[in-house]
Amino acid sequence: MITAEHRTGTRAAVAAEWTKATGSARNRRTALAAVGLALVVAALFCLTMGPTTGVPLTEQPAFDVLTSALLGVDAAALVLTVLAAAVVGGEYATGMIRTTFTVTPRRGRVLVARAATVVAITGMVALVAAVGSALVSWVVLAVAGLPSWDVADPAVRRVVGGAALMAPFHALVATAGALWSRSTAGGVTVALALMAAPTLAGWIPGGGALLPFLPGEALHAVAGIAGPHGPHPVAAAAVLVVWSAAALFAADRAVRRRDV
Amino acid sequence: MFPARFRDRLERTDRRKGEAMIVARELVKRYGDTVAVDGLSFRVEPGRVTGFLGPNGAGKSTTLRMLLGLDAPTSGAALIDGVAYRDLPAPTRRVGALLDPGAVDLGLTAAGHLLWQARAAGIGRARVTEVLGLVGLEGLGGRRIRHLSLGMRQRLGIAAALLGDPGILVLDEPLNGLDPEGIVWVRRLLRGFADEGRTVLLSSHLMNEMEATADHVLVIAKGRPVADIGVAELAAGARERVEVATPRPSELAALLLDAGSTVVPGETGRLVVTGPDAARVGELAAAHGIVLHALIPVRARLEDAFMSLTGEGTGKTTPDREVGEGEPAR
């Protein structure tokens, strides 16, 4: 049963985690760098589309130029994922985790608060990176004198919004992994393993059947770029929720039980 | 283990005084085969400064971590106001803790470090400014912790402990890294705290540090309790020593040992004698025609009481093969 005291406690824990995360100069710098990286990568992918795909930019559909630019958000997501793991790993390395668990001895609350904070912050940063990357593709198309994509197009909005989902999802998994392993490396490894899972599944005979249950494919499906055989977006969203819940559950079990 | 009669007294007071602040009952912590804390029972009373003493590795920090709910005891219990720390309705407002001033995010500002902890307890920003002033860091709230000296970081750690205006302070080695002025300041702060009827528990591995800071000491060694005693009482029990310089140390040492004294080699070839007073040592030397170059009564130090309690050597004694076998005689 959730009582008023629980709610106050959790709200206070969220406020604490938010203040801690946004107060760190390193976090702010890294978030800014992630957005910068997204824009650079977006420009690179747009400008090299001709040579890499064999189809000159002038003959590319505007939507494809947009999705290429959005690969910049994936680069930002990698940075934010490593950052999320490093924040937890840093707390364990310095011993600050003890202060965290002393001021909020209910460790489940710390976990919920940290998860909410990570998802909110990386989600916002990734959305900025996604909109920025989209604008890069718009500028590239405009400079080339080509017709651009239509901002009112629901598919455009969905692909931009969907691109911003990768960072919060993987950052959340990295956070859970880092709490579970008490290290940055552990968090990064867990997140990278999930990112690489679709590729690995492709190597196993019959591994393709696993794809709809892996977060990579689910993220594409939610963004509307999974192709005609991809999972239904609602099913894909459910897959992401289940993976997140499983990661948090594992972290919660470990964090509650252990001495710090 | 406490003697049975002491444990009885402990439990009687426990029942008599409902306002028990910090109580440890048969606390045990094992890490695999290593026993860090081995059946520790104590209570920390309000209105005085209690020193938690023991050599490094005695189990002090482990005990404090169990008290704060960070480590789970293998058996036994550590309670605050009769409940586990994590079951306190507002832990930060009841207990202010400082475990390790180095356990911080160096990229945060001093105020930022306090602010996130304040937020966790629903404490406002005004209190952050207030405690920064209390610990002498006014105006430094905007400075990154990276750019604070060790002494300032220690003060910042104490500021964090004070945030919730708690009735209980638990501080692990709070005097470490402080300059003399800082040490005096912490002592005054803790004294004022205790005088207001609050509870103070601070750990240290240095007895002489406690001499001027604590009213009462809990001494542990190898995870076991060895004393739970007032500082005045402990000082009264510490015996005076005499330092003697003589060109014939072996002969004098033999005479003193025969007379039932304890003799250990001191610095620069001197003898450190416990038992007889200076006059008696002088008379003994004179009676045997031994010349003395120095005969100095040394004020009893709590340090020595502590050393004998915890069974540690003084660490300062340089073995001198000329004197006896270089072993402390008992």
Side-chain angles (χ1 to χ4, degrees), chain B residues 83-107:
Chain B
V83 298
Y85 176 83
R86 71 174 61 188
D87 292 326
L88 289 171
T92 322
R93 290 169 185 273
R94 187 66 187 124
V95 184
L98 168 65
L99 287 185
D100 176 4
V104 292
D105 183 340
L106 295 174

Side-chain angles (χ1 to χ4, degrees), chain A residues 5 12 15-16 19-20 23-25 28 94-96 98-107 258-260, chain B residues 29 31 65 69-72 85-87 91-92 97 99 102-105 107-108 115-117 119-120 144:
Chain A
E5 191 253 328
T19 308
K20 193 199 288 177
S24 157
R28 291 199 301 261
T94 60
M96 190 164 90
R98 293 202 184 105
T99 311
T100 300
F101 288 149
T102 305
V103 297
T104 311
R106 301 282 174 176
R107 297 183 189 177
R258 286 193 192 126
D259 291 348
V260 287
Chain B
K29 183 66 181 179
Y31 298 100
R65 283 201 304 274
L70 294 170
D71 287 12
Y85 176 83
R86 71 174 61 188
D87 292 326
T92 322
L99 287 185
V104 292
D105 183 340
L108 288 175
L115 189 60
W116 76 260
Q117 295 181 54
R119 291 266 186 264
R144 303 230 168 268

Side-chain angles (χ1 to χ4, degrees), chain A residues 12 19 23 41 45 75 85 133 136 145 153 156 174 185 218 245 254:
Chain A
T19 308
V41 171
F45 272 97
S133 299
V136 166
D153 182 353
V156 167

Side-chain angles (χ1 to χ4, degrees), chain B residues 32-99:
Chain B
D33 290 340
T34 317
V35 183
V37 175
D38 190 8
L40 200 52
S41 296
F42 61 82
R43 45 184 299 126
V44 182
E45 302 289 350
R48 69 188 188 194
V49 177
T50 302
F52 191 30
L53 270 165
N56 285 328
K60 302 186 296 294
S61 296
T62 306
T63 304
L64 295 185
R65 283 201 304 274
M66 288 194 278
L67 190 62
L68 296 171
L70 294 170
D71 287 12
T74 307
S75 66
L79 304 174
I80 288 164
D81 298 340
V83 298
Y85 176 83
R86 71 174 61 188
D87 292 326
L88 289 171
T92 322
R93 290 169 185 273
R94 187 66 187 124
V95 184
L98 168 65
L99 287 185

